[in-house]
Amino acid sequence: MRDNTQSTTPAIKFQRGQFVLYRDPELFWTGQAGHTFVCRVDRVCLGDTYDLTQLPKGRSIYYANPEYMRLLPSIDAMRDIDTAPLNTDGAADDMTAAALAWLTQQHAIANQRPELPAQRD
């Protein structure tokens, strides 16, 4: 007999330091609020589970099942910077403060005059 059930396990192996969306299965399946939150992977455990830190609270979650985790790719966090229409008036109005700070820093670095090495006698 063939098993037709599909696993929701993502094909990805999470790594320490990655950001994930975690859904607490007990809270979710019992209909309680606050069941889904952003976490950082702190440790890869035996048995394909993970220790997480809930952000920004800092609460530890031990032995999290990867079936209830989804990677939060950095490309999604940086999309506003990568797609900002910088050549139009008011473009900065739609950007976050962090994006503006990063662009200001990059502009300052790009426009710095290189320093000449000190002359030797």
Side-chain angles (χ1 to χ4, degrees):
M1 181 171 181
R2 195 171 131 195
D3 184 12
N4 288 332
T5 60
Q6 287 185 322
S7 173
T8 59
T9 303
I12 187 171
K13 293 287 185 183
F14 300 100
Q15 297 176 11
R16 186 172 186 241
Q18 288 181 318
F19 294 96
V20 296
L21 197 61
Y22 175 70
R23 178 164 284 164
D24 185 310
E26 290 182 30
L27 294 177
F28 177 78
W29 291 116
T30 58
Q32 298 179 52
H35 51 67
T36 305
F37 33 85
V38 174
C39 294
R40 181 185 59 242
V41 176
D42 286 332
R43 190 168 68 117
V44 179
C45 305
L46 295 175
D48 294 326
T49 61
Y50 299 86
D51 288 350
L52 309 174
T53 296
Q54 181 182 355
L55 302 174
K57 295 181 179 182
R59 181 175 71 97
S60 295
I61 300 164
Y62 299 104
Y63 308 111
N65 183 334
E67 290 185 8
Y68 293 94
M69 296 166 53
R70 296 297 180 263
L71 183 64
L72 293 174
S74 59
I75 194 165
D76 291 341
M78 303 304 287
R79 189 175 319 273
D80 62 334
I81 293 173
D82 295 339
T83 61
L86 299 178
N87 58 351
T88 62
D89 290 336
D93 295 341
D94 294 331
M95 296 180 71
T96 65
L100 286 173
W102 183 85
L103 286 171
T104 301
Q105 179 186 31
Q106 296 307 306
H107 182 269
I109 290 170
N111 290 322
Q112 281 181 345
R113 298 177 103 191
E115 292 187 24
L116 296 173
Q119 281 192 340
R120 298 207 270 192
D121 293 329

